[in-house]
Amino acid sequence: MDAMSSERPINPRFDEDVHFNLVSPGPPRYQNHTDKPVRYFTVVDKQDGAVLGYVWANDEDDAAAWEPREAAGPRAFSEGSIWHARLEGAKGRGILPSQALTELLAHPEGVKGQALPGSLTDAPDAAAVEALAKGD
């Protein structure tokens, strides 16, 4: 028997179809940064009026996010989950970030916070809102 002509049996592990599991990318989300101008509003604590953070948006980059105020500590981060979830819901319905802001302002209540009436304003970019959140 010629050693060169002998065939080895196929390993059964490699004889089956290969299956790939697709991993879902998660819920739809707006971009969380933009260098373009944004509109934002302030979220304050319902009890004492302390600023908890800011919700901002920009249509051009399809961007919107919750920016917690550092000085508010854990309250700002826990409150952020509701605003973040509401932004995800808006993105899931396919609406523009500016429309999401309008919607959030129309229903301004969060868990511990609420949108401050009359606080909708402009900033040069998302970094400006982030800097505002880091300051006192």
Side-chain angles (χ1 to χ4, degrees):
M1 182 173 176
D2 185 352
M4 297 299 276
S5 66
S6 69
E7 291 185 29
R8 295 184 352 188
I10 295 174
N11 185 328
R13 291 184 310 160
F14 301 121
D15 196 25
E16 298 174 8
D17 289 337
V18 176
H19 297 278
F20 292 97
N21 292 324
L22 297 178
V23 178
S24 171
R29 292 190 171 108
Y30 295 115
Q31 297 298 314
N32 64 5
H33 184 76
T34 181
D35 292 327
K36 297 180 176 66
V38 300
R39 305 249 319 139
Y40 72 95
F41 64 83
T42 304
V43 175
V44 295
D45 189 290
K46 291 179 189 177
Q47 301 297 317
D48 63 12
V51 175
L52 297 175
Y54 308 92
V55 180
W56 61 262
N58 167 278
D59 287 349
E60 191 176 348
D61 284 341
D62 194 38
W66 160 259
E67 193 63 53
R69 183 169 172 253
E70 283 187 16
R75 288 186 306 161
F77 289 97
S78 66
E79 179 66 16
S81 63
I82 187 71
W83 298 98
H84 180 75
R86 291 171 73 187
L87 286 171
E88 277 186 359
K91 176 63 175 173
R93 291 191 318 277
I95 67 173
L96 292 171
S98 62
Q99 293 171 314
L101 273 190
T102 300
E103 196 175 89
L104 294 180
L105 285 168
H107 304 284
E109 296 285 319
V111 176
K112 297 177 183 175
Q114 64 187 15
L116 182 65
S119 67
L120 184 64
T121 190
D122 300 309
D125 53 31
V129 179
E130 184 178 329
L132 182 64
K134 287 184 180 189
D136 274 327

